[in-house]
């Protein structure tokens, strides 16, 4: 985990390399714990894409006013199909978004 001002990045491997990424905004969550949100998002992405060989998830959470900007994706060490739709599906799931803000 690395923190650079308002930005927190959670990755298992460094240096961080974004081979695939999707962004979203969590409205009204700026008073929440960025690390907790990053861990929950990473866990959900890992569960959704665990079968993708060579994929290592990365989550970046940045405070922006009263919102949290979330960039999720990861590093690919092997060829894989386009993962954008799978990541976007996780990030845009209403129940998961509510859980991330509530538990952070």
């Amino acid at each position: 985990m690395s923190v650079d001002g308002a930005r927190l990045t959670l990755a298992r491997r460094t240096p961080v390399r974004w081979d695939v990424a999707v962004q979203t905004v969590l409205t009204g969550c700026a008073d929440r714990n960025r690390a907790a949100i990053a861990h929950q998002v990473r866990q959900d992405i890992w569960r959704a894409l665990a079968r993708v060989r060579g994929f290592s998830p990365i989550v970046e959470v940045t405070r922006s006013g009263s919102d949290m900007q979330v960039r999720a994706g990861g590093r690919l060490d092997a060829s894989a199909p386009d993962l954008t739709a799978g990541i976007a599906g996780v990030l845009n799931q209403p129940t998961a978004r509510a859980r991330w803000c509530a538990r952070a």
Side-chain angles (χ1 to χ4, degrees), residues 12 24 40 90 98:
R12 289 197 104 164
T24 191
Q40 290 177 41
V90 171

Side-chain angles (χ1 to χ4, degrees), residues 9 12 22 42:
T9 305
R12 289 197 104 164
V22 177
R42 185 186 182 283

Side-chain angles (χ1 to χ4, degrees), residues 2-104:
S2 67
V3 178
D4 181 22
R7 180 181 307 138
L8 177 139
T9 305
L10 179 64
R12 289 197 104 164
R13 298 174 59 192
T14 57
V16 171
R17 188 179 79 208
W18 294 95
D19 294 328
V20 61
V22 177
Q23 295 186 31
T24 191
V25 175
L26 299 175
T27 57
C29 289
D31 61 333
R32 305 296 180 175
N33 184 326
R34 291 176 299 169
I37 290 174
H39 279 285
Q40 290 177 41
V41 172
R42 185 186 182 283
Q43 183 178 38
D44 287 350
I45 294 210
W46 176 248
R47 286 179 179 157
L49 302 174
R51 285 176 262 142
V52 177
R53 186 175 179 184
F55 177 69
S56 179
I58 304 167
V59 177
E60 181 181 271
V61 180
T62 307
R63 279 197 179 97
S64 176
S66 64
D67 303 330
M68 290 279 199
Q69 293 181 356
V70 177
R71 177 166 63 157
R75 177 182 196 147
L76 285 166
D77 289 336
S79 62
D82 186 17
L83 302 178
T84 305
I87 295 168
V90 171
L91 290 182
N92 294 320
Q93 186 179 28
T95 55
R97 294 170 67 91
R99 179 174 39 86
W100 299 333
C101 285
R103 292 189 179 172

